[in-house]
Amino acid sequence: MYLERYTMDGFKAISERVDTVIIPVGSTEAHGYHLPLGTDMLVPRELLRRLELAYGDNVWIAPEVAYSPCFTLPEFPGTVNIPSDVLADYLFHIGANLYKHGMRKIVFLNGHGENHTALNLAGEKLSELGAYIWNSNPFNDFAGDFNHVLESRFGSHANECETALLMACDETLAHMDKVVVNMKKVLMGVRYKDRYLDFIPEAVHGDGTKATKEKGDKILDYMVKGLVRQLESLESGRYND
């Protein structure tokens, strides 16, 4: 259920039954020459569209947050880089207001790896209010379910997986004639100024040439099933086995 489509009385009535809300958090940043700046928001948006069809009456879907930390690629055209502490504070206030209105379980659906710090900081403060917080990253959480779909599991940005997912969202937005391949291995996760010039000089890490829409559709199906499974556990309070 998309929160923005309901009136305040409709929201209040349904919230007596449904107290779980998903807040999608993406980014606006460069994804090479072949993928759009909004990839990290377009993919979660499509994932949630499919989740809504499968599980919609059991969870609220809040409006998305499309700006976040992009400290790896700050100089590339179109990238908007928001400090982690700023995003964390913003997300805390969103979550705190939803908690005030009855949302006891808050899911941050993460579409961008560099959001990790901000989500943890916001989650710590929200849990102190009494909320139950789940930071979900479908790329990592369900990789074991869908990795077999991919020819190349290598890379972390605009690679085969991310390119396939974007193609499943809207194939016309993937400019496959412009794909750049970058197979550099990360030996240590050392952070330093302008690291991107050494590690990811064209805003790509991996091989997007192997991506297809069909692979993206299969991966999204696995992600939806994984989210449903985890949301059911969250709702029932089964956090440990």
Side-chain angles (χ1 to χ4, degrees), residues 2 12 14 27 36 45 53 75-76 89 91 98 101 106 121 150 160 179 188 194 224-225 228 237:
Y2 288 93
K12 182 178 179 181
I14 295 174
S27 74
R45 187 183 299 166
L53 295 174
E75 303 304 323
F76 285 96
D89 193 49
L91 292 175
L98 290 171
H101 294 301
I106 299 173
L121 289 171
L150 300 167
E160 180 187 359
V179 176
M188 293 180 65
D194 295 335
V224 169
K225 291 175 183 176
V228 169

Side-chain angles (χ1 to χ4, degrees), residues 33-194:
Y33 302 107
H34 70 292
L35 296 183
L37 297 168
T39 295
D40 289 348
M41 200 64 263
L42 292 167
V43 172
R45 187 183 299 166
E46 175 63 16
L47 173 59
L48 289 174
R49 185 189 71 81
R50 299 186 187 205
L51 178 70
E52 207 267 345
L53 295 174
Y55 197 72
D57 290 342
N58 299 295
V59 65
W60 289 107
I61 299 173
E64 60 201 32
V65 176
Y67 300 102
S68 64
C70 300
F71 48 80
T72 302
L73 307 170
E75 303 304 323
F76 285 96
T79 297
V80 178
N81 180 27
I82 304 297
S84 291
D85 58 334
V86 174
L87 178 62
D89 193 49
Y90 183 53
L91 292 175
F92 166 73
H93 286 288
I94 293 172
N97 277 272
L98 290 171
Y99 179 79
K100 180 177 69 174
H101 294 301
M103 298 298 100
R104 293 297 176 259
K105 306 177 188 72
I106 299 173
V107 179
F108 289 118
L109 184 73
N110 187 13
H112 173 64
E114 289 173 328
N115 293 341
H116 180 75
T117 297
L119 297 182
N120 281 341
L121 289 171
E124 287 176 9
K125 292 176 67 177
L126 288 168
S127 64
E128 290 178 359
L129 294 181
Y132 292 82
I133 308 298
W134 174 35
N135 292 338
S136 172
N137 185 332
F139 290 89
N140 296 333
D141 294 348
F142 313 121
D145 296 334
F146 64 72
N147 267 340
H148 68 279
V149 174
L150 300 167
E151 293 180 59
S152 172
R153 301 176 190 176
F154 184 84
S156 59
H157 191 70
N159 59 354
E160 180 187 359
C161 181
E162 194 165 29
T163 301
L165 286 166
L166 190 280
M167 294 173 78
C169 299
D170 186 345
E171 200 167 9
T172 67
L173 296 178
H175 305 281
M176 300 305 290
D177 58 323
K178 298 182 179 181
V179 176
V180 174
V181 178
N182 173 14
M183 304 299 283
K184 288 187 176 181
K185 294 181 179 179
V186 179
L187 301 179
M188 293 180 65
V190 178
R191 186 179 301 174
Y192 53 91
K193 183 175 173 59
D194 295 335

